[in-house]
Amino acid sequence: MNDGQKNIALVMGQFFRVVNKIRELEKRAYDFGVGELLFPSEIHTIQAIGNNSCINVSSLAREMGVTKAAASQMVSKLATRGFLQKVKSLENDKEVLLVLTARGKLAFEGHEKFHTALYEDFIKEMDGIPEAGLRMIHGILEKIEYHVDRYRE
């Protein structure tokens, strides 16, 4: 293995450590101001619906990068817990649209505050990196994403 390949292996090793740490965070539940714990997959579903008013399950699945079945299961779970409701489309009787309830909106707003604080901290950490360096990091992440997508297919 030459030096370039060793450096790429170091980058990939670091990347996979970060992915593993994110996976660990994905297993933890948090309270986003509703007095009930929500797992990241649940709050991210609420976020996707909050950001895309009256979205249907197929569009939600595409937005989140999950299967329609997985999105449908999560929607049913969150509807049962009172975070969202399913409503019939006025234009198409067969289409079901997803709308946040007051409780869902509260969780959505709590999550937005959480993300704002997280991004502010992250921006402080990244502040000294020149724009060219940030573009390079973005390009590297795009290449990693491309190859991960190839293995997902």
Side-chain angles (χ1 to χ4, degrees), residues 3-149:
D3 286 344
Q5 292 169 329
K6 287 178 186 174
N7 287 333
I8 291 170
L10 284 172
V11 168
M12 290 304 296
Q14 181 77 45
F15 174 76
F16 285 117
R17 278 192 300 281
V18 169
V19 167
N20 287 336
K21 290 175 182 181
I22 290 170
R23 278 193 195 137
E24 189 64 33
L25 288 174
E26 291 287 318
K27 295 176 185 174
R28 295 182 188 170
Y30 303 89
D31 183 350
F32 293 97
V34 293
E36 184 176 341
L37 297 178
L38 291 160
F39 286 95
S41 58
E42 295 168 332
I43 195 64
H44 290 146
T45 302
I46 290 169
Q47 179 186 25
I49 295 166
N51 286 333
N52 300 280
S53 183
C54 294
I55 192 171
N56 65 28
V57 174
S58 296
S59 296
L60 176 66
R62 274 192 305 279
E63 174 79 18
M64 296 186 67
V66 299
T67 65
K68 188 176 172 186
S72 184
Q73 278 185 327
M74 184 60 67
V75 163
S76 293
K77 183 177 181 182
L78 291 170
T80 300
R81 291 171 61 192
F83 289 100
L84 62 92
Q85 60 185 22
K86 302 174 189 178
V87 296
K88 292 246 184 207
S89 169
L90 296 174
E91 294 145 14
N92 179 352
D93 281 347
K94 293 181 182 181
E95 185 175 35
V96 175
L97 303 176
L98 308 172
V99 180
L100 294 180
T101 61
R103 190 163 191 243
K105 288 177 185 174
L106 185 63
F108 174 81
E109 290 165 3
H111 184 250
E112 289 293 303
K113 288 178 188 172
F114 169 80
H115 265 268
T116 298
L118 178 72
Y119 290 153
E120 285 174 359
D121 285 347
F122 193 72
I123 287 168
K124 285 177 190 171
E125 285 292 321
M126 304 290 275
D127 193 35
I129 298 175
E131 191 173 325
L134 292 173
R135 282 194 306 269
M136 183 186 304
I137 292 167
H138 183 257
I140 290 167
L141 290 173
E142 281 181 326
K143 288 177 190 239
I144 291 171
E145 183 178 18
Y146 169 79
H147 287 286
V148 169
D149 284 345

